[in-house]
Amino acid sequence: MSMFKPSMLTVALMAAGVSHFSVVAEEEKAVKQEDVEVIEVRGISRSIIASIDKKRYSDTVAEVVDAGDLASLPDVSIADSLSRLPGVTAVRASGQSSQLNIRGMNGDFIQTTLNGREQASTSGYTAGSRWISFDQYPSELINQAAVYKSPKASLVEGGVAATVELKTVNPLEAKEQHNFNSSVRYSYNDAASDVGADSSGERISFSYQGKFLDETLGFGIGAAFLNQPNNAIDVSAHAPKRSQDFDGDGTEERSVNGYQVRSAKGSDERLGLMSTLVYQPTDALKVQFDYFRSEFESEDRKSGLNIEGFEKNLGSLYSLNNAVVKDGFLVAGDVVITDPNGPWVEMRSEDQSTDSTTDSFGLDLEYVTDKWELRLDFAHSEGEKTRRDVIASMHAYEFGNATVDGTLVETWQEMRNQTFSFAQQEKNSPLLTLGDSYTDLSNMRLGDWEQFPHRYTDELDSFKVDFKYHVEAGFISSIEVGARWSDREFTDQRSTFRWGAREGQNGYKMPDGTIVTNKGCEFNHQNHTCVPHSLDGFVTVEHTRGFNYLELDLMGIADAVFGPGNYDAQQTWEHNWTLIESGAVKEEVLAGYVMANIDTEIGDIPVTGNFGVRVVRTDTKSVGIQQIQGDEVGDTIVDDNGVARTDYRNVEYGPEYTDTLPSLNLNFRVTDEDQIRFAAAKVMGRPPVYQLRGGAGSWADTANDGESPRYNVWSKGNPNLDPFRATQFDLSYERYFEDGGAFVAAVFWKDIESLIESITYQEGEVDWDTIGLEVPEGFVAGQYQTTQNNDQGGYIRGVELAYTTMFDNLPGVFSGLGFNANYSYTESETTVDGGGNFPDQQLPMPGLSKNVWSATIFWNIDAFTTHLNVRYRDEYVYEGASPGGSSLAWADEYTVVDWQGTYDFDNGLQAVLQINNLTDEPNTTNYGTALATGEYKEFGRQYFLGFNYSF
């Protein structure tokens, strides 16, 4: 039976052609076609109406962004388009959307596919993960994106929060025989000059779709190039490490461990390529090959001030005057550094540039008859990401002479009695006042140069077969069965080079030239001289908002001090973590499903939907090295310096587990305009890859009895982690209007079994035999640092509201007005351990904002169209990079405003003016109180001016 009777506007859209519109203008043209008045709608309202129509006829609870033609969406990446959907928000990186959060869950709970194929990830910063960096996907090359909030058995598993499906075009479905779209835009960032960065950039794209051989062969190709400033005023606080009595009242208070004030500048350069070839000689057979590639180079250079070491002993190593404490947190004070081993002040330059590449291709074969459909799909996806992670510190030194054992020597040490003052500000950068000059090259020297390059790869091969048989038996219209096999391998490669000391060097030189150090140079195999080096010729003094700082030529001074090629990063036993954290995770998955599609009536109410079950078997193996002790001899493992050790063994281990995932989707068409959806399912999502690494190291110390030797183990991950598992329910009411608008009210409920957290078991807290660890003979089982599934599962529930309307009944120019808005409220009882930043606290799930809303008003006046979008996100717990690693912080609420205006010259040419981040909204985080600011980051406004052309 027919699913629904299409509305008048739906008929119009189908007649107009889904793929025919352009984002820049809206016209209404009335024509007669089989006695039906057909209205062709173009413009931003066309995209909104088409998206609503796709949602209306979806067989799951879904949200859709429909672009139609390539290069039709106004956004820099598809993440911006998706973040305007109900219950969907984005985490901004470099001022633009990157990671998605859906229904209060971060990217770790989201599955992403491109043309139905699971995608490799290049999202890792300190380690790899599964979530997708959506800023790698240019909106110009995606013609449709769907967020499936309820699953069905035929969907690839992994979406606990949702599954995001991105689609590229099928050129045989294009309206004309030859279709061409292009766009050229100049960009300008109004804050780039504040940090000395290049303000201008460009955004260029083109796409072509053609049909040949009597429309049996289709070819599509597209390219999108983006070059824009990557700049910020970036103020970060080092995460709290230790509580002390800062104000002398006998009670210990918490404090950040220091501050970083940096000017960040660089550029983001992205090249996206898409190609598709479709051959369909008959209605029965179709063969399609798709290819997608994204190259994303993000230049990220930072220079500024670094203050660190508040965890040092107050009183003996530094003094603190005029301390101000609020809500148990130190928020202001005057510091005097009284000992070289105390806190330190330095100028620091960094290069955190990344280079990411993603390739995906697939071959899809479909054969369709009147009774059955068969589809075979072969796919490959791979991603690689590198990050330079180069850091150099410049310190203020004193140089002089001293007598050591009767010999006059030349000395150097950190400048004594350095002073600074600080005062936190709510949702703003702290006020810092320095008592000494740190741009005076007579005492500033290079004290530390180090690099920790990262390289991650993710490679995924898959094959799936889907079979659909039309039965028309009772309430079941068809049966689908299928299977999918995938093989995935994720690798990490870590290495390091270190020279100097972050706290500054301290030593002297004998008359014969011998160097003696009190604070030496670490990792100095090339025997580089351990003396603070002059900065002359390698630094410039820069100025930002009243603050002077040094900007260092990182590679230039390294070549001068160490010599070209003499500072290559290495894997070395001196830093055993470089070998332990270098490893792989292998994952083989076999899944099968059966699903019945429903098309029936209950009374006079048409009911459609599906029910089925998906069974998934996962085999996970972690590949790495693990340290052993005692008399046992492991494998011979040689580092990059030729040093061999046998107290480690190569390991490859991990679990196999099977999940049975039933699902049900029902859609009740109560009237021609009203329908009710109900969905229920079990879902699962595998843990982030970096949490599955099984490599481990160990160290020995003294047990709690004060005498016995104790054996301790640390691990970066645990391959035996259970996946995220949840049971979920969805219920929604949808009303569709004749003008193309709609009102939707939905409630959802998820019951998550458990979450993953880092944990340290102390001596005696766990039986090592039960967790598969061996204690060497003669040792006591001590600490075990790992990750585990906690018992803090529970519900996530919420409400989502969406409303769209067209004011075409208003007079004159006001008839072109339209409005689209949505709101979601989410709450949860699930929590995670606050870790060192929030000791003895349980925090909400990372990514959960209680209140999220988005509103768009659009207006079309003849050839001119404009729209304004405002997006708001409530505070949430954010697990992000911090100085020295990653940690939890509270991300403050924010509101982002974007605007665009276009003019259509009615000859295929359109002029575009666009402003993103119109109010220059910063990113801010805190460590639990308003005055404990963790990060303050300004990006500036991004302007785009250019033209679109299509024929």
Side-chain angles (χ1 to χ4, degrees):
M1 64 178 289
S2 175
M3 187 174 183
F4 293 116
K5 175 183 177 182
S7 67
M8 188 70 70
L9 188 61
T10 302
V11 173
L13 287 168
M14 292 177 177
V18 169
S19 65
H20 183 70
F21 87 101
S22 125
V23 164
V24 271
E26 177 171 319
E27 298 178 5
E28 295 185 352
K29 299 179 180 179
V31 298
K32 289 289 184 179
Q33 190 179 68
E34 297 181 0
D35 298 324
V36 176
E37 184 178 15
V38 179
I39 301 173
E40 182 179 353
V41 184
R42 301 194 303 170
I44 188 65
S45 54
R46 159 64 184 80
S47 177
I48 292 173
I49 293 171
S51 300
I52 291 173
D53 199 62
K54 293 289 194 304
K55 174 182 176 67
R56 182 176 188 176
Y57 294 108
S58 172
D59 59 354
T60 69
V61 178
E63 311 291 343
V64 181
V65 174
D66 187 88
D69 290 337
L70 292 178
S72 295
L73 294 172
D75 305 297
V76 172
S77 77
I78 197 63
D80 294 302
S81 304
L82 292 167
S83 66
R84 289 191 283 270
L85 296 174
V88 182
T89 57
V91 177
R92 296 193 296 164
S94 301
Q96 63 188 28
S97 302
S98 178
Q99 179 186 169
L100 291 181
N101 295 171
I102 300 178
R103 287 184 163 179
M105 288 172 277
N106 65 20
D108 291 332
F109 297 88
I110 299 171
Q111 174 65 280
T112 302
T113 60
L114 178 65
N115 296 322
R117 300 157 183 145
E118 187 177 9
Q119 293 297 286
S121 170
T122 57
S123 61
Y125 187 78
T126 59
S129 190
R130 293 182 190 274
W131 62 268
I132 296 298
S133 295
F134 284 93
D135 52 2
Q136 280 205 248
Y137 294 83
S139 63
E140 296 96 332
L141 302 184
I142 303 297
N143 80 311
Q144 188 182 113
V147 178
Y148 295 107
K149 296 177 177 177
S150 70
K152 57 182 179 180
S154 59
L155 278 178
V156 177
E157 72 284 344
V160 176
T163 296
V164 177
E165 163 71 343
L166 308 178
K167 292 183 180 180
T168 56
V169 295
N170 178 351
L172 291 180
E173 297 176 354
K175 183 178 181 181
E176 306 293 341
Q177 184 175 359
H178 299 284
N179 305 265
F180 178 80
N181 290 279
S182 62
S183 176
V184 177
R185 300 184 190 182
Y186 166 81
S187 70
Y188 172 80
N189 185 288
D190 65 1
S193 59
D194 291 344
V195 295
D198 187 359
S199 300
S200 61
E202 59 273 352
R203 182 180 169 192
I204 304 169
S205 69
F206 80 91
S207 64
Y208 167 79
Q209 298 179 70
K211 294 183 281 190
F212 307 92
L213 302 179
D214 295 327
E215 299 191 358
T216 62
L217 180 66
F219 175 68
I221 189 171
F225 176 76
L226 171 72
N227 179 27
Q228 67 179 20
N230 174 9
N231 55 270
I233 302 294
D234 186 357
V235 183
S236 301
H238 291 275
K241 285 189 176 180
R242 176 186 176 191
S243 297
Q244 298 189 71
D245 182 7
F246 290 105
D247 60 359
D249 65 353
T251 301
E252 291 189 347
E253 296 88 21
R254 298 176 67 222
S255 170
V256 298
N257 197 40
Y259 300 96
Q260 287 185 342
V261 181
R262 300 174 293 183
S263 293
K265 63 181 179 182
S267 63
D268 286 341
E269 187 172 297
R270 181 187 64 200
L271 175 63
L273 301 172
M274 179 279 300
S275 181
T276 184
L277 183 67
V278 185
Y279 180 58
Q280 190 168 0
T282 67
D283 291 339
L285 176 65
K286 184 179 78 170
V287 180
Q288 181 167 345
F289 177 81
D290 299 302
Y291 176 69
F292 184 91
R293 179 179 177 87
S294 177
E295 301 175 359
F296 198 159
E297 296 182 15
S298 181
E299 183 186 20
D300 185 7
R301 294 179 286 116
K302 301 179 174 73
S303 292
L305 172 73
N306 181 61
I307 298 174
E308 199 167 347
F310 280 20
E311 90 280 6
K312 303 284 189 175
N313 290 333
L314 177 64
S316 61
L317 301 179
Y318 71 102
S319 64
L320 178 65
N321 303 314
N322 303 315
V324 178
V325 172
K326 186 173 182 179
D327 298 330
F329 217 97
L330 176 67
V331 298
D334 303 322
V335 174
V336 179
I337 303 173
T338 57
D339 189 286
N341 294 311
W344 65 95
V345 183
E346 64 188 11
M347 288 293 169
R348 177 182 288 186
S349 288
E350 303 179 35
D351 187 348
Q352 300 294 347
S353 299
T354 59
D355 189 349
S356 305
T357 302
T358 300
D359 281 289
S360 298
F361 57 83
L363 177 65
D364 183 76
L365 297 91
E366 296 183 40
Y367 193 83
V368 179
T369 71
D370 291 339
K371 295 296 293 182
W372 54 268
E373 304 171 20
L374 176 65
R375 181 177 180 182
L376 305 176
D377 188 88
F378 305 84
H380 174 81
S381 179
E382 63 181 58
E384 178 178 336
K385 182 172 184 176
T386 60
R387 180 162 67 94
R388 295 177 187 170
D389 200 359
V390 179
I391 303 172
S393 301
M394 297 159 280
H395 298 258
Y397 286 95
E398 292 180 358
F399 299 91
N401 297 302
T403 300
V404 177
D405 296 330
T407 302
L408 185 66
V409 299
E410 299 176 14
T411 64
W412 56 85
Q413 66 177 13
E414 283 278 298
M415 183 182 292
R416 288 169 288 188
N417 298 319
Q418 297 180 54
T419 64
F420 61 89
S421 300
F422 64 94
Q424 292 272 39
Q425 297 188 96
E426 184 174 342
K427 294 189 68 173
N428 208 330
S429 57
L431 298 174
L432 296 174
T433 304
L434 303 178
D436 301 276
S437 173
Y438 293 93
T439 58
D440 183 355
L441 298 189
S442 64
N443 55 43
M444 294 297 294
R445 296 288 189 275
L446 177 70
D448 180 63
W449 199 100
E450 54 192 348
Q451 60 175 323
F452 307 92
H454 306 243
R455 180 178 179 268
Y456 313 116
T457 66
D458 188 8
E459 190 167 349
L460 175 65
D461 292 297
S462 66
F463 168 73
K464 67 175 181 177
V465 55
D466 299 283
F467 180 78
K468 183 176 183 179
Y469 185 73
H470 299 273
V471 294
E472 299 292 344
F475 66 93
I476 296 177
S477 61
S478 61
I479 299 290
E480 297 183 43
V481 297
R484 178 180 180 269
W485 168 87
S486 69
D487 186 48
R488 187 173 193 175
E489 182 171 1
F490 178 93
T491 66
D492 278 3
Q493 184 174 340
R494 298 301 313 276
S495 53
T496 188
F497 170 87
R498 292 201 64 185
W499 171 90
R502 282 195 175 180
E503 301 88 343
Q505 297 180 28
N506 188 323
Y508 57 90
K509 182 169 69 172
M510 302 289 287
D512 63 359
T514 302
I515 304 297
V516 180
T517 58
N518 300 317
K519 288 185 179 178
C521 291
E522 187 176 4
F523 194 61
N524 197 8
H525 296 294
Q526 292 84 356
N527 201 29
H528 302 310
T529 305
C530 195
V531 177
H533 281 271
S534 171
L535 301 172
D536 290 340
F538 298 104
V539 294
T540 58
V541 179
E542 304 293 339
H543 180 85
T544 297
R545 297 189 182 179
F547 171 64
N548 292 327
Y549 61 93
L550 296 178
E551 184 172 297
L552 179 66
D553 178 0
L554 288 164
M555 297 299 112
I557 199 169
D559 284 342
V561 173
F562 313 124
N566 291 327
Y567 53 93
D568 294 337
Q570 297 178 319
Q571 291 185 335
T572 169
W573 288 120
E574 289 179 293
H575 294 279
N576 63 357
W577 59 266
T578 59
L579 290 96
I580 294 172
E581 293 187 15
S582 297
V585 172
K586 298 179 179 180
E587 190 173 82
E588 185 176 11
V589 177
L590 182 62
Y593 74 91
V594 59
M595 183 176 74
N597 294 302
I598 302 169
D599 193 348
T600 187
E601 289 186 354
I602 299 178
D604 294 329
I605 299 177
V607 180
T608 57
N610 54 71
F611 65 92
V613 63
R614 187 178 187 90
V615 179
V616 185
R617 176 186 171 274
T618 304
D619 182 359
T620 299
K621 293 293 179 286
S622 176
V623 181
I625 64 172
Q626 184 166 315
Q627 193 171 17
I628 59 178
Q629 291 220 8
D631 297 330
E632 188 175 357
V633 178
D635 300 318
T636 301
I637 302 174
V638 183
D639 72 4
D640 289 342
N641 295 307
V643 178
R645 289 176 61 165
T646 58
D647 58 337
Y648 285 79
R649 69 162 63 100
N650 293 298
V651 295
E652 180 174 337
Y653 67 102
E656 299 180 21
Y657 52 86
T658 300
D659 287 272
T660 302
L661 309 173
S663 61
L664 170 69
N665 290 276
L666 296 175
N667 187 15
F668 302 87
R669 184 183 172 223
V670 181
T671 70
D672 287 347
E673 295 81 23
D674 302 277
Q675 59 189 36
I676 295 174
R677 293 185 189 271
F678 173 77
K682 281 192 171 184
V683 293
M684 62 86 73
R686 300 175 188 92
V689 179
Y690 70 89
Q691 292 182 328
L692 293 172
R693 292 181 302 189
S698 64
W699 77 99
D701 58 11
T702 302
N704 292 338
D705 61 12
E707 298 179 0
S708 303
R710 182 171 65 181
Y711 179 63
N712 308 278
V713 173
W714 65 270
S715 171
K716 284 292 184 180
N718 178 6
N720 293 306
L721 291 173
D722 288 331
F724 303 113
R725 294 186 175 103
T727 302
Q728 65 178 46
F729 299 93
D730 286 85
L731 179 65
S732 66
Y733 164 73
E734 303 168 5
R735 181 173 181 82
Y736 295 91
F737 311 135
E738 283 295 318
D739 65 359
F743 169 75
V744 178
V747 295
F748 66 89
W749 182 85
K750 295 177 183 285
D751 182 20
I752 293 182
E753 291 185 9
S754 68
L755 299 176
I756 297 171
E757 64 182 3
S758 298
I759 189 170
T760 297
Y761 292 104
Q762 301 297 333
E763 178 184 330
E765 289 185 350
V766 64
D767 183 358
W768 281 34
D769 289 337
T770 64
I771 56 177
L773 292 178
E774 296 182 8
V775 184
E777 185 177 351
F779 284 80
V780 172
Q783 284 190 15
Y784 177 43
Q785 301 173 1
T786 187
T787 54
Q788 69 166 15
N789 296 97
N790 67 20
D791 58 355
Q792 302 299 318
Y795 67 75
I796 300 176
R797 61 191 181 192
V799 177
E800 295 172 348
L801 303 173
Y803 178 70
T804 302
T805 188
M806 314 292 174
F807 299 103
D808 50 9
N809 58 341
L810 294 177
V813 296
F814 297 103
S815 62
L817 275 172
F819 179 70
N820 169 264
N822 62 74
Y823 166 79
S824 65
Y825 174 83
T826 307
E827 64 178 20
S828 176
E829 65 179 352
T830 60
T831 60
V832 296
D833 187 270
N837 292 354
F838 302 89
D840 303 320
Q841 292 187 45
Q842 290 292 316
L843 300 180
M845 284 183 61
L848 191 151
S849 294
K850 283 192 174 182
N851 298 284
V852 174
W853 58 263
S854 173
T856 302
I857 186 167
F858 45 94
W859 194 2
N860 306 284
I861 308 172
D862 297 326
F864 177 73
T865 182
T866 182
H867 72 269
L868 180 76
N869 174 257
V870 183
R871 303 189 299 279
Y872 169 83
R873 180 174 191 178
D874 211 348
E875 66 176 2
Y876 62 99
V877 172
Y878 174 58
E879 185 174 12
S882 66
S886 62
S887 60
L888 297 176
W890 276 101
D892 294 311
E893 63 182 0
Y894 66 78
T895 304
V896 177
V897 182
D898 297 333
W899 174 84
Q900 178 178 288
T902 61
Y903 185 84
D904 188 355
F905 293 97
D906 203 26
N907 60 358
L909 183 66
Q910 304 142 357
V912 182
L913 175 62
Q914 182 180 348
I915 307 175
N916 291 345
N917 196 24
L918 187 63
T919 58
D920 194 12
E921 183 80 354
N923 271 6
T924 62
T925 66
N926 67 78
Y927 290 120
T929 66
L931 286 175
T933 301
E935 180 184 56
Y936 176 86
K937 198 168 186 178
E938 288 183 20
F939 306 103
R941 301 170 185 84
Q942 193 78 20
Y943 297 81
F944 295 92
L945 175 63
F947 296 92
N948 296 335
Y949 181 69
S950 62
F951 64 83

